Amino acid sequence: MRISVIGCGYLGAVHAAGLAALGHDVVGIDVDAEKVARLAAGEAPFYEPGLAGLLAAATGSLRFTTDPAAAAGCTVHFICVGTPQRPGENAADVSHVETALEMLMPCLDPGDVVVGKSTVPVGTAEALLAELQALRPGVALVWNPEFLREGHAVHDTLHPDRLVLGLAADGTADHARTVLREVYARPIAEGAPVVETDLATAQLVKAAANSFLATKISFINAMAEVCEASGGDVVRLAEAIGHDARIGHRFLGAGLGFGGGCLPKDIRGFMARAGELGADQALAFLAEVDAINLRRRVRMVDLAREECGGSIVGRRIAILGAAFKPESDDVRDSPALSVAAQMSLQGAEVVVTDPQAIDNARRRWPELKYAFTAEEAATGADLVLLLTEWREYVDLDPHELGAVVHQRRVLDGRNALDPARWRAAGWGYRALGRPATAGVS
Ligand code: UDX
């Protein structure tokens, strides 16, 4: 099938390469000439494991361009542009989605299918459909939300755990269903469940899924706050409640909380949209989910201050991790960088390191100091903070790192280190939601 993908960011670039790997003839279109040039050269413009391999394997059936006219002749058009939070508001900015459709209009022929993948406030798809019906009758619109996780995007694209097809009630549904089932023939044959819905439900599914995940993380972080107040240990608590199959262990990792380009802005956008719809009470709890999440960052700075004897002014602090999560170079709303910036503003000498995200972090916070290795960052440090649980940091040898620091004190912002191992190497170990003696047998 000939497919165009509009928007080649974390979602679109992987989606375009994934569709080519599934056997389609794909053109990726983006306004960013530098990004397009790198993709066209077979180079991943951001760190995503497996993407470079997918780009290399797809040559011939995959190209990238800044020319919107390249969408002409394609029968399926995926909209994969960003919907960032509007500055100073909770609501999402859907202007890129609207522009993408405008850009596509001259290339659309009857029988084509426009597929929305971007995360949008419910009601956006209906407005796009009205435009299509007015200007391009016979073109179908489907809402097909994307659930990929950064760091696992290639796997999630090729082997989705479900496919949601939001179909319009305008007589195009049968055709659109047939086309989308052909696009995703391979994952469907592998057993990926297909859930067909109306347009509104498909848009809500994405907001609901991300709200649930955010709530689960903030739930365990709320328990961490109670543990801190009562002497409990949130890691053991999560382990215990997670054995209940109805609760499960996943997304019960207490620590610095969630960040990134999706969860924080999606729960805020969802609240804003519910407010517009007169259903604000239904999602009032998400304001608390957000507040719990942001409090963890403040608590991390407070814990660092406690460990430094009441003041961080002039203290050298090593921060391991800048990306919002491991296996990504994405620093959008990164909890690690938020803590680093707060500590720097409060007078600490902060040195940040990350295996992949230093360039992005430097662009966002040029005033922070950066180091290329954990050893370099930790040299002379009064305190080491693990804030993004990259494997190479979790596996660090506490004896070796202990040889370069000024004081052997570590704060584990992700409950990812083995306290016994670090204590045995002479380190003071503290973590969020755990008593000072956690891990002492
Ligand atoms: C998320 C959704 O998982 C994905 O389905 C959707 O398409 C986009 O948003 P992503 O932002 O890539 O994906 O990251 P995710 O793996 O969900 O992690 C989000 C944040 O939660 C990270 O900052 C992570 O560190 C944090 N997290 C995750 C926790 O703090 N504790 C956990 O137990 C799990």
Side-chain angles (χ1 to χ4, degrees):
M1 247 183 195
R2 290 189 63 192
I3 298 177
S4 79
V5 175
I6 318 302
C8 297
Y10 284 98
L11 162 58
V14 182
H15 191 61
L19 288 171
L22 293 178
H24 303 295
D25 185 5
V26 183
V27 58
I29 303 172
D30 198 288
V31 290
D32 182 338
E34 193 195 322
K35 193 185 286 174
V36 164
R38 292 181 68 179
L39 284 163
E43 204 185 304
F46 48 84
Y47 179 75
E48 182 60 50
L51 176 57
L54 214 54
L55 290 168
T59 42
S61 53
L62 176 65
R63 63 200 176 90
F64 292 94
T65 176
T66 54
D67 180 9
C74 295
T75 39
V76 186
H77 308 268
F78 281 94
I79 297 183
C80 296
V81 294
T83 52
Q85 189 175 341
R86 284 193 210 145
E89 284 180 53
N90 270 349
D93 173 2
V94 295
S95 59
H96 299 302
V97 175
E98 291 161 355
T99 311
L101 186 66
E102 270 166 39
M103 191 209 85
L104 273 175
M105 279 298 182
C107 304
L108 297 175
D109 296 313
D112 282 6
V113 182
V114 174
V115 189
K117 283 200 95 62
S118 306
T119 302
V120 292
V122 60
T124 306
E126 289 79 351
L128 300 182
L129 181 64
E131 257 182 78
L132 276 175
Q133 286 170 338
L135 300 173
R136 288 290 178 276
V139 174
L141 179 71
V142 177
W143 216 262
N144 169 223
E146 178 56 56
F147 304 103
L148 65 77
R149 300 158 299 164
E150 287 177 31
H152 304 273
V154 171
H155 174 271
D156 292 352
T157 301
L158 297 178
H159 310 284
D161 53 11
R162 79 284 211 191
L163 290 160
V164 175
L165 305 183
L167 303 165
D170 64 348
T172 58
D174 286 343
H175 170 64
R177 173 190 296 117
T178 307
V179 169
L180 265 290
R181 282 181 179 266
E182 194 176 331
V183 169
Y184 292 121
R186 213 180 289 173
I188 292 172
E190 273 180 12
V194 180
V195 183
E196 290 187 6
T197 71
D198 50 53
L199 281 179
T201 307
Q203 295 163 86
L204 288 169
V205 164
K206 178 61 189 268
N210 278 355
S211 296
F212 190 87
L213 294 172
T215 303
K216 202 169 176 192
I217 298 169
S218 276
F219 173 83
I220 202 63
N221 283 333
M223 295 304 109
E225 289 189 6
V226 180
C227 283
E228 282 158 14
S230 60
D233 182 338
V234 74
V235 172
R236 306 315 300 271
L237 184 147
E239 186 189 340
I241 65 172
H243 284 301
D244 183 331
R246 294 168 302 175
I247 297 173
H249 285 113
R250 296 180 73 185
F251 270 67
L252 274 190
L256 200 49
F258 58 83
C262 292
L263 261 43
K265 70 126 176 123
D266 287 352
I267 62 168
R268 293 173 196 150
F270 200 20
M271 278 187 280
R273 185 65 185 132
E276 288 165 5
L277 294 166
D280 45 331
Q281 275 189 321
L283 299 187
F285 73 97
L286 287 179
E288 199 51 46
V289 166
D290 199 9
I292 293 164
N293 192 52
L294 295 176
R295 277 206 298 273
R296 291 288 76 191
R297 304 176 185 189
V298 178
R299 174 67 190 136
M300 194 75 221
V301 178
D302 288 344
L303 192 57
R305 191 177 296 106
E306 276 170 34
E307 284 300 295
C308 289
S311 171
I312 55 172
V313 175
R315 296 306 185 102
R316 190 173 159 105
I317 314 282
I319 300 229
L320 306 184
F324 84 101
K325 70 177 203 180
E327 296 301 326
S328 172
D329 64 358
D330 193 348
V331 300
R332 288 176 294 172
D333 202 354
S334 162
L337 272 186
S338 165
V339 167
Q342 282 183 60
M343 294 182 81
S344 169
L345 289 168
Q346 292 177 28
E349 187 195 342
V350 176
V351 186
V352 180
T353 188
D354 190 282
Q356 295 292 339
I358 290 178
D359 289 348
N360 285 342
R362 204 194 295 276
R363 268 192 287 276
R364 178 74 185 81
W365 292 102
E367 55 276 67
L368 295 174
K369 283 190 189 157
Y370 295 93
F372 286 105
T373 63
E375 286 70 22
E376 197 191 323
T379 300
D382 296 299
L383 185 62
V384 175
L385 271 61
L386 175 81
L387 300 187
T388 312
E389 69 279 29
W390 286 92
R391 188 79 243 162
E392 64 182 79
Y393 299 154
V394 176
D395 290 343
L396 276 170
D397 182 338
H399 291 281
E400 281 176 20
L401 202 69
V404 301
V405 295
H406 180 232
Q407 297 203 54
R408 294 186 177 198
R409 286 190 299 217
V410 64
L411 296 188
D412 183 355
R414 293 292 177 183
N415 281 307
L417 302 175
D418 176 357
R421 196 165 151 254
W422 284 73
R423 287 212 175 91
W427 287 74
Y429 173 94
R430 295 286 304 275
L432 292 172
R434 306 195 82 181
T437 52
V440 177
S441 49

